[in-house]
Amino acid sequence: MISRSLARALLASVALLTASVLLTGCDTDQVSLATNAKANQPVPPKLLAAMVEKNMDLQSPILVRLFKQEAELEVWKQARNGQFALLKTYPICRWSGDLGPKVREGDRQAPEGFYSINPGQMNPQSAYYLSFNTGYPNAFDKALGRTGSQLMVHGDCSSRGCYAMTDEQIAEIYSLGRESFFGGQKAFQLQAYPFKMTPVNMAKHRNNPNMPFWKMIKEGYDHFEVTRQEPKVDFCEKKYVFDAAKTPDAKRDPVFDASAKCPAYVIPEEIASAVRDKDARDQAEYNKLVAKGTPMARMNTGIDGGMNKIFASKIPEGSTGLSENAEGSTLEMLAMAKAPGTIPGHVNPPKPNLDAVAAAPANQEPVVAVSAPAATTRVAAAAPAEKSGGFFSNLGRKMGLGTADTTATTPPPQATASVAPVAAPATPPTATSRLKAAVTRFVPGRDTTKDAPKPAVAAKPAEPVKPDTRLAATRPALKPSVSDGASEATQIMGAAPVVSSNSFDSRFGAVK
């Protein structure tokens, strides 16, 4: 008897072949997407081995979680017991903006909230190697009048409102999403958070004006934590609702409208009770931390986004920005570790807003956020809607999954000049010396031993700056996987064989 996963693979193969035949008569460029080499890189052997160890099928559903403060992207995958388990955590190379949701076009904010990614949002022809559209704005965002478009998770390690990975990382993540679609998943959920929603982090940020929004999305975080199931997401009265079900006396499921009054609904008691218990434990721990005087996090001083510590350690004068360093590790220690992918030479690490830093007294508790200036964006041009959208998009329309604009919009970052240290006079302290001390406080990993006054020496002619040969100047067309595995792929139960060909339909050649 044919297994369910194989049956789904057969259906996907038929759909792909049908789509190719239909497209041949109207747009031969679209047919080439079926053999897009970047989009068809196989899942690395090391990840396949991890799936075997965790009792997962290659084509089982996935779920993605993003954390700004930790600068991490998690890929969860459904195991054969029906629950999701963590497959792999990827350090985020660059994200932009502040902690908090995206509000308007051009604010440089990476979105926060719950989004759904269908095949039409996968972009194999991204200007930034590979990408997928987060789906911002969702119904909740629209109900609040929030604006913005083309917010992506993509490669190239540069961001103007997106979550940027290395090319090797996005190739892996893209392949996992592709396989889940082949397995029958119509859309995978993306959960984007400011930080891991722990009592410690909630206590640190208790003064942040975004806290009501964060408490609301924490409910969805808790639903996933206690069930290890993808929470069902609805919207009403301009708020999120998780795992809503019809009331016992109702004959049909409730109908939700993000801007309208909430319909009658219930949350299954086994979920509701588990969430209440977790929330009670979290609140008790939160109260203890506040009573102990846990320091509140200083709000954005003008630093634009963050970068995972592993990447910051590889860049001259690199900084994690709004992302936190690992406990017990420094950028110098991490510099010895291997970077998870190619760091392009144009990478632009987070920089402090020096005006805001200088104006902030050392003992001031929160500092009002300073919005970064909007940058001119470059759009990766795509063909008109009736002729483009990518192969996945056309497939999504033919399978009734809807479409989305899949054009990556992240522009190439511009070089940011580093700030030269200014020698501080002995006495009295000046505005310049206070600025220098403030910068030292806000730039992680800064070597303060270099700040001591030095005796005057005769001026020397300026020497030409040598380029940093540690950074890659160019990127190859295809990137090797960041999972260094064995040369032979491990076959897992219910999975289609992994072949070296870069063709979608060749995966199913054995059953044609």
Side-chain angles (χ1 to χ4, degrees):
M1 184 171 57
I2 300 177
S3 66
R4 178 177 298 179
S5 61
L6 178 57
R8 287 174 173 172
L10 289 169
L11 290 174
S13 178
V14 172
L16 288 169
L17 292 172
T18 303
S20 297
V21 172
L22 292 174
L23 287 170
T24 301
C26 59
D27 192 347
T28 54
D29 290 339
Q30 292 296 316
V31 179
S32 66
L33 296 182
T35 57
N36 184 289
K38 292 184 293 185
N40 282 281
Q41 296 177 70
V43 176
K46 195 169 184 178
L47 270 184
L48 293 174
M51 293 179 201
V52 172
E53 181 182 350
K54 296 173 185 289
N55 199 31
M56 300 169 177
D57 292 320
L58 172 62
Q59 295 181 345
S60 67
I62 67 168
L63 181 146
V64 174
R65 299 202 303 181
L66 291 158
F67 302 97
K68 290 179 178 177
Q69 181 173 276
E70 291 79 6
E72 291 179 348
L73 181 152
E74 297 177 343
V75 175
W76 293 70
K77 197 166 180 64
Q78 192 176 57
R80 295 192 184 104
N81 64 1
Q83 292 187 315
F84 282 83
L86 180 62
L87 176 61
K88 185 171 180 177
T89 299
Y90 296 85
I92 296 174
C93 193
R94 192 70 167 90
W95 60 271
S96 61
D98 196 359
L99 300 182
K102 183 173 184 63
V103 175
R104 63 185 180 279
E105 185 82 51
D107 63 5
R108 299 168 62 92
Q109 283 290 102
E112 295 175 6
F114 287 70
Y115 300 90
S116 182
I117 317 300
N118 65 45
Q121 292 163 249
M122 306 290 282
N123 187 6
Q125 291 188 316
S126 172
Y128 296 89
Y129 200 71
L130 290 169
S131 67
F132 62 84
N133 193 319
T134 62
Y136 175 92
N138 61 21
F140 168 81
D141 301 317
K142 292 176 182 177
L144 294 179
R146 294 177 176 174
T147 58
S149 60
Q150 310 305 325
L151 280 302
M152 304 281 174
V153 177
H154 60 68
D156 199 51
C157 194
S158 61
S159 173
R160 290 295 184 275
C162 299
Y163 292 97
M165 319 299 293
T166 62
D167 292 355
E168 293 88 347
Q169 288 176 315
I170 193 63
E172 272 194 22
I173 298 165
Y174 194 99
S175 71
L176 292 170
R178 179 195 68 215
E179 293 301 323
S180 76
F181 294 139
F182 277 130
Q185 187 175 21
K186 292 185 177 181
F188 65 84
Q189 189 173 92
L190 182 142
Q191 305 174 5
Y193 299 100
F195 40 72
K196 294 187 177 180
M197 313 300 275
T198 63
V200 172
N201 283 332
M202 298 298 279
K204 286 182 180 179
H205 296 279
R206 61 188 182 274
N207 63 319
N208 195 294
N210 291 303
M211 187 52 70
F213 169 73
W214 291 341
K215 287 181 177 179
M216 179 173 60
I217 63 174
K218 182 181 182 295
E219 292 181 22
Y221 178 94
D222 289 348
H223 276 239
F224 179 72
E225 287 289 311
V226 302
T227 66
R228 288 291 188 258
Q229 298 284 350
E230 177 183 303
K232 177 176 171 286
V233 180
D234 290 296
F235 313 96
C236 61
E237 298 178 8
K238 299 180 181 180
K239 66 179 182 181
Y240 279 86
V241 177
F242 300 100
D243 289 319
K246 63 182 179 182
T247 58
D249 57 341
K251 296 182 179 179
R252 63 173 187 172
D253 292 332
V255 178
F256 288 87
D257 185 318
S259 299
K261 183 179 179 180
C262 291
Y265 70 88
V266 296
I267 297 175
E269 182 55 30
E270 62 273 17
I271 298 177
S273 61
V275 170
R276 282 195 301 268
D277 291 344
K278 180 182 184 305
D279 184 64
R281 294 192 300 271
D282 289 350
Q283 189 63 42
E285 181 63 22
Y286 171 89
N287 292 338
K288 290 180 182 178
L289 292 167
V290 173
K292 286 168 55 178
T294 298
M296 291 185 287
R298 185 180 293 272
M299 293 174 61
N300 187 356
T301 59
I303 299 174
D304 181 21
M307 170 179 281
N308 189 279
K309 55 193 176 291
I310 188 65
F311 295 110
S313 69
K314 309 297 180 184
I315 302 169
E317 299 184 9
S319 167
T320 56
L322 296 176
S323 297
E324 291 189 343
N325 236 332
E327 293 294 333
S329 66
T330 64
L331 296 185
E332 289 76 11
M333 293 169 59
L334 290 166
M336 303 299 294
K338 182 180 178 181
T342 304
I343 304 176
H346 59 252
V347 64
N348 183 21
K351 298 290 183 181
N353 181 311
L354 299 181
D355 292 336
V357 172
N363 59 353
Q364 181 176 340
E365 194 50 56
V367 177
V368 177
V370 178
S371 299
T376 302
T377 58
R378 178 187 63 164
V379 177
E386 63 270 15
K387 296 181 63 178
S388 70
F391 182 78
F392 267 120
S393 182
N394 283 310
L395 173 60
R397 286 195 294 268
K398 296 180 184 300
M399 297 177 70
L401 299 178
T403 60
D405 194 341
T406 59
T407 306
T409 61
T410 307
Q414 299 181 358
T416 302
S418 59
V419 180
V422 180
T427 56
T430 64
T432 302
S433 64
R434 290 196 297 272
L435 169 60
K436 183 177 181 65
V439 172
T440 302
R441 292 197 304 274
F442 286 98
V443 180
R446 182 180 175 89
D447 186 359
T448 57
T449 62
K450 298 180 181 180
D451 296 337
K454 298 180 179 179
V457 296
K460 294 183 179 180
E463 296 182 359
V465 179
K466 296 182 180 180
D468 188 350
T469 58
R470 292 176 295 173
L471 301 181
T474 58
R475 295 180 289 115
L478 291 180
K479 302 289 183 177
S481 167
V482 293
S483 296
D484 296 324
S487 59
E488 295 182 1
T490 305
Q491 186 65 32
I492 64 177
M493 186 180 300
V498 177
V499 295
S500 59
S501 170
N502 287 321
S503 171
F504 276 130
D505 45 28
S506 65
R507 292 177 50 80
F508 308 105
V511 296
K512 285 184 181 178

